[in-house]
Amino acid sequence: MAADVEKYSRLDTPSQEGFQADLVQVLEDAAVLSGLDRTSWERQPQGDQEFAVLPVETQEPLVLGAFVRNLAVRLGERNANCTEEERMRLRLAIDFGVARTAALGYSGPAPVSVARYLNAPQLKRVLASLGSTDLAVIISDRLYQDVVRLRGEGEGLDPSRYVSVHILEKEFSGYGWIHVPEHSREELEPLVADPEPDEAPAPASTTSVKNKKGVVHFGSGDAAYKMYKKYSR
């Protein structure tokens, strides 16, 4: 799991320090309120984000349900009396799979996929477009299929509030599912749709003009006619 602060680089040094402390605090509060033990998480702080490997026995529905809801609430409380510049807004990416400790952090497919999900342009676009929310979540297709879709109703998870996206980030290609607390799939679908490509300019019309000697001049509009006059004298 990884949580990242939106637009962190715009902050000055004292503000960055405050945001880092607040990020740790809201994650801690959400975990406690959800019955999760943060002391058992293997955490890797990265300035504007935190990457964490949770114990194997962690209940996925608890993370996707109660933890996400409590994190949204704590963010809302933290931001209640803040100016727009002081608001802390998060992207959260969650997957499960192999993660092993390595010299510079973690190795394995799960850490890589979490990093790619976290930087998905669709997730960034959703958070930027929904000014009323402080949290946008993306989970892997494996989590959606195995936990949300198959076990969601009995665990307080609503599959209809997730929208599917295809992620192409660096060498990674895969499907993920975006969820924003208090927002429906219908609200999210227009935001995750790929932008329409710009229309290519229409090709210039080509004109051909034949002079008395049988030489044909090709060009666009007046250019062909001028060439014709020049060479037909």
Side-chain angles (χ1 to χ4, degrees):
M1 179 170 66
D4 184 90
V5 177
E6 182 193 48
K7 297 180 180 178
Y8 177 83
S9 59
R10 78 185 192 282
L11 303 171
D12 58 26
T13 301
S15 297
Q16 289 180 356
E17 293 170 356
F19 267 60
Q20 289 186 28
D22 288 350
L23 173 60
V24 172
Q25 189 62 58
V26 294
L27 291 171
E28 177 70 30
D29 292 346
V32 171
L33 290 169
S34 307
L36 295 169
D37 180 12
R38 277 259 294 173
T39 62
S40 65
W41 297 10
E42 297 180 22
R43 298 158 49 197
Q44 183 182 359
Q46 298 175 11
D48 61 341
Q49 67 176 258
E50 179 183 286
F51 174 80
V53 177
L54 280 61
V56 174
E57 63 272 14
T58 302
Q59 300 178 42
E60 293 92 349
L62 192 61
V63 176
L64 302 184
F67 177 76
V68 167
R69 289 191 295 270
N70 286 320
L71 181 57
V73 170
R74 283 296 295 117
L75 281 170
E77 293 172 348
R78 185 264 181 202
N79 294 335
N81 298 313
C82 292
T83 65
E84 188 62 29
E85 291 74 20
E86 296 169 337
R87 285 179 69 192
M88 185 168 69
R89 309 177 76 221
L90 300 182
R91 301 191 311 275
L92 184 71
I94 309 173
D95 193 6
F96 62 43
V98 175
R100 299 175 57 179
T101 55
L104 297 177
Y106 295 90
S107 62
V112 171
S113 63
V114 164
R116 303 299 177 254
Y117 284 128
L118 192 65
N119 289 307
Q122 298 96 324
L123 186 65
K124 293 181 178 180
R125 196 159 61 238
V126 165
L127 188 59
S129 301
L130 294 176
S132 61
T133 191
D134 297 312
L135 177 66
V137 183
I138 185 168
I139 66 173
S140 67
D141 187 59
R142 287 173 294 189
L143 270 176
Y144 177 82
Q145 300 298 341
D146 294 352
V147 179
V148 177
R149 188 176 69 85
L150 295 180
R151 298 156 52 192
E153 292 184 3
E155 301 287 351
L157 300 172
D158 185 355
S160 70
R161 300 186 75 87
Y162 291 76
V163 61
S164 177
V165 292
H166 184 220
I167 308 300
L168 289 171
E169 182 69 18
K170 295 186 178 180
E171 74 288 348
F172 177 83
S173 175
Y175 286 91
W177 293 79
I178 293 177
H179 168 65
V180 178
E182 308 302 327
H183 289 272
S184 66
R185 174 185 290 176
E186 290 71 25
E187 293 176 89
L188 302 181
E189 285 177 335
L191 305 179
V192 302
D194 292 330
E196 292 292 334
D198 295 334
E199 291 187 8
S205 59
T206 301
T207 303
S208 62
V209 180
K210 180 183 291 186
N211 64 18
K212 295 178 181 179
K213 298 180 180 180
V215 178
V216 179
H217 304 287
F218 292 92
S220 58
D222 292 339
Y225 183 68
K226 290 178 181 178
M227 292 175 66
Y228 160 73
K229 291 181 66 178
K230 179 177 180 181
Y231 291 103
S232 60
R233 289 178 180 177

